[in-house]
Amino acid sequence: QITVFAAASLKESLEQIAASYERQTSDQVRLSMAGSSTLARQIEQGAPADIYLSANPDWMDWLQDRGLIDAATRVDLLRNRLVLIAPTRPRIKGLDFGDGRIAMALVDAVPAGIYGKAALETLGEWPALQSRVVQTDNVRAALALVALGEAPRGIVYQTDALAEPRVQVLAEFPADSHPPIIYPAAIVAGRDSPASQRFMAYLLSDQARAIFGAAGFAVMQADR
Amino acid sequence: MSWLGPEEWQAVALSLKVSFWATLVALPLGTLTAYVLARHSFPGKQALNALVHLPLIMPPVVTGYLLLLTFGTRGALGSFLQEWGLVFAFRWTGAALAAGVMAFPLMVRAIRLSIEAVDPKLEQAAATLGASRLWVFVTVTLPLILPGILAGTVLAFAKAMGEFGATITFVSNIPGETRTLPTAIYGFLQVPGGEGAALRLVVISVVIAVGALLLSEFLAHRAARRVAGA
Amino acid sequence: MSWLGPEEWQAVALSLKVSFWATLVALPLGTLTAYVLARHSFPGKQALNALVHLPLIMPPVVTGYLLLLTFGTRGALGSFLQEWGLVFAFRWTGAALAAGVMAFPLMVRAIRLSIEAVDPKLEQAAATLGASRLWVFVTVTLPLILPGILAGTVLAFAKAMGEFGATITFVSNIPGETRTLPTAIYGFLQVPGGEGAALRLVVISVVIAVGALLLSEFLAHRAARRVAGA
Amino acid sequence: MSLSVRLSHRLPDFDLDIRFDAPPGLTVLFGQSGSGKTTVVNAVSGLLRPDSGRISVENRVLVDTENRVWLPPHRRKLGYIFQEGRLFPHLTVKQNLLYGRWFARAGGPAEDPDKVIDLLGIGALLDRRPGSLSGGEKQRVAIGRALLAHPQLILADEPLSALDEPRKAELMPYFERLRDEFTIPILYVSHSATEVARLATTVIAIDRGRVRHQGPAAEVLGDPGFRPQGSRSIGAILQAKVARHHDDGLTELDAGGASLFLPHIARDPGQPVRVRITAHDVVLATTEPVGLSALNILSGTVRDIRTGDGPGAIVSVDTRAGRILARVTRRSITALNLSVGQPCYAVIKSVAVAPEDIGKG
Amino acid sequence: MSLSVRLSHRLPDFDLDIRFDAPPGLTVLFGQSGSGKTTVVNAVSGLLRPDSGRISVENRVLVDTENRVWLPPHRRKLGYIFQEGRLFPHLTVKQNLLYGRWFARAGGPAEDPDKVIDLLGIGALLDRRPGSLSGGEKQRVAIGRALLAHPQLILADEPLSALDEPRKAELMPYFERLRDEFTIPILYVSHSATEVARLATTVIAIDRGRVRHQGPAAEVLGDPGFRPQGSRSIGAILQAKVARHHDDGLTELDAGGASLFLPHIARDPGQPVRVRITAHDVVLATTEPVGLSALNILSGTVRDIRTGDGPGAIVSVDTRAGRILARVTRRSITALNLSVGQPCYAVIKSVAVAPEDIGKG
Ligand SMILES: Nc1ncnc2c1ncn2[C@@H]1O[C@H](COP(=O)(O)OP(=O)(O)OP(=O)(O)O)[C@@H](O)[C@H]1O
Ligand SMILES: Nc1ncnc2c1ncn2[C@@H]1O[C@H](COP(=O)(O)OP(=O)(O)OP(=O)(O)O)[C@@H](O)[C@H]1O
Ligand SMILES: [Mg+2]
Ligand SMILES: [Mg+2]
């Protein structure tokens, strides 16, 4: 049995992957989904996690600095893209910020918000838009604000936007306008076992990639 | 204090404002609800009772989401109230509403327990002396439930100071408008190395709430001593 | 019900177990604390009082984090208790601890209010009839504060059913072990299209907690009628 | 009729069915513990909503279940002295006393608070709270609170039971004054024969929820068949006028032409008084007694002799002053050979008439 | 001494300083409202911790501030009848009554609950809760609760004040029995002269926190200078023995050789009784009266004549039966030309001695 601590946004894909993995092997997979920061701190406090899957590199770095992950096993598993969204009506196209609120995750704390702020700064829009930004504790809440029409614009991951029929994607932010959005994975220090390695390998397998891809993630090449 | 930046001070001030108003507005409503639940029986009483407890039962995010659906600009009540100039969405008023809703069950319970402990014979005595129902409440019931009111108020205030999930879901986190202490604390906890700043804010919010607590204890103690007759 | 998968049922069962134990263990402790706060005065009383209220004041995440630091496997108390076979970290017991801690102030307040409303003259009368302090408590105080105990219990249970922030921060979200209803709801809300499933779970948790609430109302009503003398 | 009560109400194990009409004045409810007195008073006050009935006070209908009339307690203009005090614990004694004034209504006697406070001897307690008062102090504050509420109907449920005799003796004239000067109807519950005899205009004796005797005080108390409270309560009530005050402290009364000497009565000559002569205080003599310390010797005729199971008998003697009851032993009746129609003398000591037993006419 | 109390305690506006020693038996605390009676009882019960003092009951030291002795209330083996009931609202009447038994201690009379319940007339209430009881019913349950607790010391704070006369008359013999048969020390607060005279072994009269009179009941009540409760309470207590029961329902007593005829007393011939003859019930005569309905005529000598401000005087007459007090008017003294040393006759009606005033010797 292996325990995977993974960012909550990966829940659906990971559950499918775990299910198919369990069908193929005799291993049991437990998924504990929460915020990346929460999970990282729990690992620091000795959580029974075998594999950590973070929504941003920072918390992975934080653990690595403390020697709490097996650095050799760290891989950048997934990428995501940042998009500007609006409610489905009226139909608009392009990087049009309109007027009114812009929903984002916390711009100083939550990865999607941090990336979004960086993108806006790169585009030179941040000073003008800053006062219109409303921040939520996670990107799903920002999505909900747009879906409900409370905020006319939002900046979320493409994976979130794709699955929400009540929003349309206006534009994708240029990949170079913000640091790369990377979901790293690693085996937790001292948890290196054949089973953990098997599952890590499975995460990089074609089957897993297909599932991640269907959810909208861009799959990284296993080049590290 | 130099160890707090202006943004943090803003959050402190806002949290105080939000908690103050949440408590203040909840107080008469909570007292009324508690009175009705304690002393009346009517069809739908248990439904009202359950409704009051809902924010306690549901995860705060859900409460926040429901508030958004109801009191948002597109929400049924929200759009109606907007015409009267009462806007909650993305305003500090919304933060106060969320805090008030979350604190409501605690307040109602405390006050209700106190009302149930008041001897109806005293209220009857007041009635025989010419006091109408309202006057009986004001001159007899209310002073006698002061401990419960104080307890309910301080519970509500403390809860309002700590409320996070429903608030951020409902009104987001806009610096200076809806960025209360708990959302600021949450933000700091999301980034590596933010613990120190978070801790400072936690200390501040604890100091404020404990101050309110001690004040309420002092007042309750005085009231109790007077009734015991010194 | 076919519209809930086995994982959801697991969450329901776990939430019930966690809330039940949290409430059960908190009850004697909460009653004792409430009694001490209501009837004694000693140095450090207000510190104890503040401590009890802390989980209400601080954002749940902070409470959860502090629990993690204290009761985690590396924590001061956690490693000590581990030697006695009591493990909280990442176990359902930890979820119960988190829920209990969060519910504690509500329970203590309710019971304390009730104790303060008990006429000490009745306790004195019991003492003159030969009842020691403990017996006075068991035979007079306790039955008279039944409404407060019930209110405190149902508040604590409802809070435990709804507790999320501290729980997920302390014991994570491990299926079958620490994935309670609220954390499961959280999980569903984090993925696209999960709202339906989340709503179903919300409904279940509301139904359970409201059921407990109605039961407590019924019991309190009966107790009150008996005292009023029928 | 000033106070008219028709009342039926069922409680578990207790069934109340009361009907009486009382003329203006003070109506005493008399009866043993658990007979339903407080229940009746509560119905009059509006704290109990009777299953059915009609209660009216001086033509104000308080409740009439048939015609769906229901005046809530706070509009009944009451001064209710509860059997158990019910003071407001959060208010000072003074605030308790003045509580009813806050809701002051037109009508009812506007009593001077200072006078009432003085009479009740609670001047030193005004700033205290009820929690620290003694039992009797609480009772006195409760009396004051009701009296100061400008009541148009006073309900008094054993108001004096917790008080000592001198205090009782001081308060009884006050109730007389309310009855006579202010003509406020008063419904008064009491176990004390003295209070009944002295204060009652009308006596309603109830027993297990039913009226057993009712009528003017003199009639009910003078009825030898009436002895619910033990034989001590039997006695005659004589109507008299103050004739003169003597230098040696005695007051001479004129009772139907006969003179009665009693310890000083603080009332002006010419004023009416009523005197209760309890039956066990009267000695009968067949020959005019001489050399006796008793000052009042009334001649009369034996009207009636009633014997019961006990060794005692009640002899009614018609005198000029009115009918007097004497409780003597059957042995004395035999020894004196008393029979109906026989002339005899009723001997009454001046001091045997208790000061509590003398009231305003 | 059975009960020894030294007590000083300050309350705001009230200052208590009491010392008395009472022999075994029933000690009555007598005094007006607010004089400190309940405070004394509370100190004896342990509910009040006096500033300083020492209280002992039959050599058990309950509190001694000097030697830091403090027995908590639940170890004092009490039966405390509170002035205000204090029944447990959540328990049924039966559970209230048996509460003290749960903590049953060795010693103390193991009264049969059924008997006490019967005596108090609360058999029908056993399954009820106190909330719905009438005032007098509550009081009776409170009495039962204290009596059934196997007490070794009974504290009774105005236990009978809410009860009607017949009920009082039923309960007084019960307290006598506790006093005499079980020899439990009893501290009893009362406003009623009848209760005092009948029950008291010792009377402690207190006034504003100080003991004013103290001593055996016969002495304190027979002292013409003692009249805190109005003149009615003055009277003599005679010790007598039952001589014989007569067919006509009278009981003949032998009081120091003199015969006294009283209504039937339910005690066997040879048993001692004590009889209180209230001063206002005695008529004096200078020549032996004839043709009077009064059966008891005792010859004696005037021992003392006391006059006060009022029209009355107290004449002490030494008879074979003991000293008798008579309350007569000054006018009668003049008319009869009474003086100390003069022979005279005291006339006492059989029925004038109230049944409440006859108690066990
Ligand atoms: N806590 C207190 N603070 C101030 N005064 C008090 C307190 N308790 C009692 N007193 C006063 O002490 C006096 C004696 O009270 P206590 O209850 O002993 O009177 P009592 O003799 O029993 O009178 P009653 O016959 O009316 O019951 C009263 O004047 C009362 O007001
Ligand atoms: N709620 C109730 N349920 C059942 N019985 C009741 C209730 N209230 C009163 N009773 C009964 O009704 C009877 C009359 O009560 P009430 O209080 O009128 O008596 P009372 O004449 O005032 O007696 P007391 O002189 O003892 O005060 C009592 O036997 C009492 O037990
Ligand atoms: Mg009554
Ligand atoms: Mg007292």
Side-chain angles (χ1 to χ4, degrees):
Chain A
Q1 177 171 11
I2 51 173
T3 303
V4 179
F5 273 30
S9 49
L10 299 172
K11 178 180 195 297
E12 204 174 29
S13 312
L14 277 180
E15 277 173 352
Q16 288 175 27
I17 289 168
S20 81
Y21 178 71
E22 280 175 356
R23 255 178 272 122
Q24 291 170 27
T25 68
S26 58
D27 293 349
Q28 293 261 310
V29 182
R30 290 197 303 178
L31 295 171
S32 179
M33 324 291 302
S36 303
S37 60
T38 304
L39 297 171
R41 289 210 180 85
Q42 288 171 344
I43 289 169
E44 191 207 10
Q45 292 298 319
D50 297 302
I51 291 169
Y52 174 52
L53 224 165
S54 171
N56 68 351
D58 291 353
W59 282 105
M60 190 62 91
D61 294 343
W62 185 78
L63 283 178
Q64 191 169 351
D65 290 345
R66 286 161 174 72
L68 294 170
I69 55 162
D70 188 345
T73 61
R74 174 169 171 169
V75 292
D76 289 343
L77 188 61
L78 301 169
R79 285 188 83 138
N80 211 340
R81 284 184 284 266
L82 216 51
V83 294
L84 179 68
I85 56 164
T88 32
R89 238 168 284 259
R91 294 214 72 83
I92 328 165
K93 216 60 212 148
L95 207 57
D96 170 4
F97 291 103
D99 44 15
R101 304 289 186 181
I102 301 170
M104 298 172 69
L106 288 170
V107 297
D108 294 320
V110 176
I114 297 171
Y115 297 133
K117 179 180 172 188
L120 292 178
E121 276 173 338
T122 309
L123 297 176
E125 299 277 7
W126 178 248
L129 298 179
Q130 185 177 11
S131 62
R132 292 165 47 192
V133 170
V134 302
Q135 308 171 38
T136 60
D137 56 328
N138 63 65
V139 67
R140 301 285 312 170
L143 179 68
L145 285 178
V146 180
L148 289 175
E150 293 294 337
R153 295 291 183 275
I155 298 174
V156 299
Y157 293 131
Q158 186 174 33
T159 46
D160 298 310
L162 283 182
E164 175 55 73
R166 287 174 295 176
V167 303
Q168 56 177 320
V169 173
L170 302 189
E172 189 178 309
F173 285 92
D176 57 2
S177 64
H178 54 79
I181 305 170
I182 289 170
Y183 293 68
I187 294 179
V188 174
R191 295 301 204 135
D192 199 357
S193 69
S196 335
Q197 281 173 6
R198 265 201 304 280
F199 190 69
M200 272 298 275
Y202 190 74
L203 283 176
L204 297 166
S205 71
D206 289 343
Q207 277 161 306
R209 286 171 180 222
I211 293 173
F212 282 132
F217 290 103
V219 184
M220 308 273 287
Q221 294 311 310
D223 49 8
R224 278 214 235 170
Chain B
M1 278 178 264
S2 61
W3 45 281
L4 278 194
E7 286 224 347
E8 276 83 60
W9 278 121
Q10 209 177 34
V12 171
L14 186 70
S15 255
L16 277 174
K17 178 161 100 172
V18 163
S19 305
F20 175 78
W21 283 102
T23 313
L24 194 74
V25 173
L27 195 52
L29 272 176
T31 310
L32 184 70
T33 311
Y35 187 79
V36 163
L37 287 177
R39 284 289 159 85
H40 291 267
S41 85
F42 51 93
K45 170 172 167 173
Q46 289 311 330
L48 174 64
N49 192 14
L51 184 71
V52 166
H53 281 80
L54 268 195
L56 196 68
I57 299 165
M58 299 190 300
V61 186
V62 176
T63 307
Y65 193 68
L66 291 178
L67 283 175
L68 191 60
L69 286 177
T70 319
F71 289 97
T73 33
R74 304 282 164 94
L77 258 170
S79 52
F80 173 78
L81 289 173
Q82 203 155 18
E83 291 181 23
W84 296 80
L86 200 58
V87 182
F88 290 113
F90 307 120
R91 296 281 172 81
W92 72 267
T93 46
L97 176 66
V101 165
M102 292 299 287
F104 204 63
L106 312 187
M107 178 177 256
V108 169
R109 259 303 173 172
I111 300 179
R112 180 175 164 189
L113 272 174
S114 288
I115 293 177
E116 281 167 348
V118 170
D119 188 353
K121 292 193 165 171
L122 293 177
E123 297 173 326
Q124 291 177 352
T128 66
L129 289 163
S132 65
R133 215 186 241 202
L134 182 66
W135 276 114
V136 170
F137 181 77
V138 172
T139 59
V140 177
T141 319
L142 204 58
L144 288 176
I145 62 173
L146 217 64
I149 300 238
L150 279 168
T153 304
V154 78
L155 277 179
F157 185 79
K159 176 74 200 167
M161 285 295 293
E163 212 306 300
F164 160 66
T167 306
I168 198 165
T169 308
F170 179 29
V171 291
S172 289
N173 177 20
I174 305 165
E177 185 74 34
T178 63
R179 184 161 190 261
T180 57
L181 274 176
T183 50
I185 291 168
Y186 177 79
F188 281 121
L189 284 178
Q190 293 309 302
V191 291
E195 291 88 352
L199 185 66
R200 285 203 296 272
L201 294 185
V202 167
V203 168
I204 296 218
S205 96
V206 166
V207 165
I208 292 173
V210 167
L213 179 68
L214 294 184
L215 181 69
S216 82
E217 295 284 333
F218 173 75
L219 293 175
H221 185 73
R222 261 201 6 192
R225 240 198 13 218
R226 288 171 73 196
V227 169
Chain C
M1 277 179 265
S2 62
W3 45 280
L4 278 193
E7 288 225 345
E8 277 85 63
W9 278 119
Q10 210 177 32
V12 171
L14 185 71
S15 254
L16 278 175
K17 179 161 97 174
V18 162
S19 307
F20 174 78
W21 283 103
T23 312
L24 194 75
V25 173
L27 194 52
L29 272 175
T31 309
L32 184 71
T33 311
Y35 187 78
V36 163
L37 287 175
R39 285 288 159 85
H40 293 266
S41 84
F42 51 93
K45 171 173 167 170
Q46 288 311 328
L48 174 65
N49 193 12
L51 184 72
V52 166
H53 280 81
L54 268 195
L56 197 67
I57 300 165
M58 299 190 301
V61 186
V62 175
T63 307
Y65 188 46
L66 291 178
L67 284 175
L68 185 62
L69 290 179
T70 317
F71 289 96
T73 25
R74 315 255 163 106
L77 256 171
S79 52
F80 174 78
L81 289 174
Q82 203 155 18
E83 290 181 24
W84 297 80
L86 200 58
V87 183
F88 289 113
F90 309 105
R91 297 279 173 84
W92 73 266
T93 47
L97 177 65
V101 165
M102 293 298 288
F104 204 62
L106 313 186
M107 179 177 254
V108 169
R109 261 301 175 174
I111 299 179
R112 180 174 165 191
L113 273 174
S114 288
I115 293 177
E116 281 166 350
V118 170
D119 187 351
K121 294 193 166 172
L122 293 177
E123 296 172 326
Q124 291 176 352
T128 67
L129 289 163
S132 65
R133 213 187 244 203
L134 182 67
W135 276 113
V136 170
F137 181 78
V138 172
T139 59
V140 176
T141 319
L142 203 59
L144 288 176
I145 62 173
L146 217 63
I149 300 238
L150 277 169
T153 304
V154 78
L155 277 180
F157 184 81
K159 176 74 199 167
M161 286 296 292
E163 212 307 300
F164 159 66
T167 307
I168 199 170
T169 310
F170 179 29
V171 290
S172 207
N173 181 10
I174 304 168
E177 187 73 38
T178 63
R179 179 174 295 167
T180 57
L181 274 176
T183 49
I185 292 168
Y186 164 81
F188 282 118
L189 287 177
Q190 291 309 305
V191 296
E195 290 88 353
L199 185 66
R200 284 201 297 273
L201 294 184
V202 168
V203 168
I204 296 218
S205 93
V206 166
V207 166
I208 292 172
V210 166
L213 178 69
L214 294 185
L215 181 69
S216 83
E217 294 283 335
F218 172 74
L219 293 176
H221 185 72
R222 258 199 8 189
R225 243 204 5 224
R226 286 171 73 194
V227 169
Chain D
M1 285 294 144
S2 163
L3 175 62
S4 158
V5 173
R6 313 251 162 290
L7 196 57
S8 76
H9 192 73
R10 288 195 76 87
L11 289 168
D13 303 334
F14 186 74
D15 186 15
L16 192 78
D17 193 356
I18 294 282
R19 22 180 77 223
F20 64 84
D21 296 290
L26 190 149
T27 308
V28 164
L29 283 179
F30 203 63
Q32 64 175 45
S33 170
S35 56
K37 304 179 297 294
T38 300
T39 310
V40 172
V41 176
N42 278 340
V44 175
S45 74
L47 296 184
L48 177 86
R49 228 177 157 135
D51 292 343
S52 76
R54 184 175 190 283
I55 299 174
S56 65
V57 177
E58 288 181 336
N59 305 324
R60 280 199 301 148
V61 177
L62 303 183
V63 51
D64 184 345
T65 48
E66 212 160 279
N67 298 310
R68 292 168 184 275
V69 177
W70 170 256
L71 209 59
H74 70 276
R75 306 226 332 259
R76 293 191 181 191
K77 306 185 180 172
L78 306 168
Y80 187 168
I81 305 163
F82 293 93
Q83 196 171 3
E84 358 75 70
R86 299 201 193 185
L87 298 179
F88 303 124
H90 58 295
L91 301 181
T92 61
V93 165
K94 184 163 188 184
Q95 289 166 332
N96 265 284
L97 287 170
L98 299 181
Y99 187 89
R101 301 230 145 180
W102 300 350
F103 310 100
R105 294 141 294 191
E111 271 298 23
D112 179 17
D114 292 339
K115 233 178 72 188
V116 173
I117 288 166
D118 206 48
L119 177 76
L120 293 163
I122 49 181
L125 311 175
L126 293 181
D127 294 326
R128 300 254 300 273
R129 268 164 232 274
S132 72
L133 300 183
S134 82
E137 287 167 346
K138 278 185 191 137
Q139 186 75 7
R140 286 180 273 159
V141 176
I143 295 173
R145 184 178 68 170
L147 297 180
L148 289 173
H150 294 211
Q152 289 183 22
L153 167 64
I154 289 179
L155 305 173
D157 197 350
E158 304 191 26
L160 306 182
S161 69
L163 301 181
D164 45 309
E165 302 289 340
R167 185 67 68 185
K168 274 183 193 165
E170 272 173 60
L171 284 174
M172 272 195 272
Y174 187 76
F175 279 98
E176 286 179 324
R177 214 178 111 242
L178 289 171
R179 180 192 69 196
D180 300 337
E181 276 177 39
F182 294 117
T183 62
I184 310 176
I186 303 175
L187 186 60
Y188 191 105
V189 175
S190 176
H191 286 309
S192 146
T194 303
E195 287 173 43
V196 176
R198 170 129 181 218
L199 299 174
T201 313
T202 310
V203 174
I204 313 287
I206 66 178
D207 181 29
R208 263 164 290 154
R210 300 286 185 281
V211 173
R212 289 287 174 239
H213 283 82
Q214 85 181 78
E219 220 171 77
V220 175
L221 293 178
D223 176 0
F226 171 73
R227 50 165 108 172
Q229 299 289 313
S231 49
R232 286 239 139 187
S233 60
I234 304 173
I237 294 180
L238 300 183
Q239 296 292 341
K241 268 211 296 277
V242 174
R244 196 166 344 172
H245 296 297
H246 290 268
D247 287 345
D248 56 3
L250 294 182
T251 297
E252 185 179 343
L253 299 183
D254 173 356
S259 283
L260 279 177
F261 289 89
L262 294 182
H264 185 76
I265 297 170
R267 210 144 304 159
D268 290 336
Q271 296 264 309
V273 290
R274 55 180 190 168
V275 182
R276 171 169 173 259
I277 313 280
T278 43
H280 69 268
D281 281 333
V282 178
V283 176
L284 294 182
T286 42
T287 55
E288 182 156 9
V290 287
L292 268 192
S293 66
L295 289 174
N296 303 301
I297 298 174
L298 297 170
S299 65
T301 321
V302 174
R303 168 66 177 258
D304 183 32
I305 299 176
R306 292 205 188 190
T307 51
D309 311 330
I314 302 281
V315 180
S316 313
V317 179
D318 280 343
T319 70
R320 271 198 294 171
R323 182 172 305 169
I324 285 180
L325 300 180
R327 206 174 147 67
V328 298
T329 54
R330 282 192 278 156
R331 173 176 295 212
S332 300
I333 290 178
T334 315
L336 298 180
N337 206 0
L338 279 180
S339 59
V340 174
Q342 188 183 335
C344 72
Y345 297 88
V347 180
I348 305 157
K349 290 186 63 175
S350 297
V351 295
V353 179
E356 310 94 84
D357 284 342
I358 304 166
K360 287 204 235 168
Chain E
M1 285 295 147
S2 162
L3 177 61
S4 159
V5 173
R6 313 252 161 289
L7 199 56
S8 79
H9 192 73
R10 287 196 77 86
L11 289 169
D13 303 335
F14 185 74
D15 187 15
L16 192 77
D17 193 357
I18 294 282
R19 24 181 73 225
F20 64 84
D21 295 291
L26 191 148
T27 308
V28 164
L29 284 178
F30 204 63
Q32 64 175 44
S33 169
S35 55
K37 305 179 295 298
T38 300
T39 311
V40 172
V41 176
N42 278 340
V44 174
S45 75
L47 297 184
L48 178 86
R49 228 176 155 134
D51 292 344
S52 77
R54 182 174 191 287
I55 299 174
S56 65
V57 178
E58 289 183 334
N59 305 324
R60 280 199 301 148
V61 177
L62 303 183
V63 53
D64 184 344
T65 49
E66 214 159 277
N67 297 311
R68 293 169 186 275
V69 178
W70 170 256
L71 208 60
H74 70 275
R75 302 214 348 248
R76 294 193 179 190
K77 307 187 181 173
L78 305 168
Y80 187 168
I81 304 163
F82 293 92
Q83 198 172 3
E84 358 76 70
R86 300 202 193 183
L87 298 179
F88 302 123
H90 58 295
L91 301 181
T92 61
V93 165
K94 185 165 188 183
Q95 289 166 332
N96 266 283
L97 288 171
L98 299 182
Y99 187 88
R101 301 229 144 180
W102 299 352
F103 310 101
R105 293 143 294 189
E111 272 296 23
D112 178 18
D114 292 339
K115 235 178 75 189
V116 174
I117 288 166
D118 206 50
L119 177 78
L120 293 163
I122 50 182
L125 311 174
L126 294 181
D127 293 327
R128 301 254 300 272
R129 268 165 232 274
S132 72
L133 299 184
S134 82
E137 287 166 347
K138 278 185 190 133
Q139 186 75 7
R140 285 180 273 159
V141 176
I143 295 174
R145 185 179 66 172
L147 297 181
L148 289 175
H150 295 210
Q152 289 182 21
L153 167 63
I154 290 179
L155 306 172
D157 198 350
E158 304 193 26
L160 307 181
S161 69
L163 302 180
D164 44 307
E165 302 288 341
R167 185 67 67 186
K168 274 182 192 164
E170 272 172 59
L171 284 175
M172 272 194 274
Y174 187 76
F175 279 98
E176 287 178 324
R177 216 179 109 240
L178 289 171
R179 181 190 68 196
D180 300 336
E181 277 177 37
F182 294 116
T183 62
I184 310 176
I186 304 175
L187 185 61
Y188 192 106
V189 175
S190 175
H191 287 309
S192 147
T194 301
E195 286 174 43
V196 176
R198 169 126 182 221
L199 298 175
T201 312
T202 309
V203 175
I204 314 287
I206 66 179
D207 183 27
R208 265 164 289 155
R210 300 286 185 281
V211 174
R212 288 288 173 239
H213 283 80
Q214 86 181 78
E219 218 170 78
V220 174
L221 292 177
D223 175 0
F226 170 73
R227 51 166 108 173
Q229 300 286 315
S231 48
R232 285 239 141 187
S233 60
I234 304 172
I237 295 180
L238 301 182
Q239 296 292 343
K241 269 210 296 280
V242 175
R244 195 165 346 170
H245 297 298
H246 290 268
D247 288 346
D248 57 2
L250 292 182
T251 296
E252 186 179 341
L253 299 183
D254 172 357
S259 283
L260 279 179
F261 290 88
L262 296 183
H264 185 75
I265 298 169
R267 211 146 302 160
D268 289 337
Q271 297 264 310
V273 290
R274 57 181 190 170
V275 182
R276 173 171 174 256
I277 313 280
T278 43
H280 69 267
D281 281 334
V282 177
V283 176
L284 295 181
T286 44
T287 55
E288 180 158 10
V290 286
L292 268 193
S293 67
L295 290 175
N296 303 302
I297 297 174
L298 297 171
S299 65
T301 321
V302 174
R303 166 69 178 257
D304 183 33
I305 300 177
R306 294 206 185 188
T307 51
D309 311 328
I314 303 280
V315 180
S316 313
V317 180
D318 279 342
T319 70
R320 270 198 293 169
R323 184 172 304 168
I324 286 180
L325 300 179
R327 205 174 148 68
V328 299
T329 55
R330 281 194 278 158
R331 171 174 296 210
S332 300
I333 290 177
T334 317
L336 299 180
N337 205 1
L338 280 180
S339 59
V340 174
Q342 189 184 336
C344 72
Y345 297 88
V347 180
I348 304 156
K349 289 187 66 176
S350 298
V351 295
V353 179
E356 309 92 84
D357 284 342
I358 304 168
K360 286 202 238 172

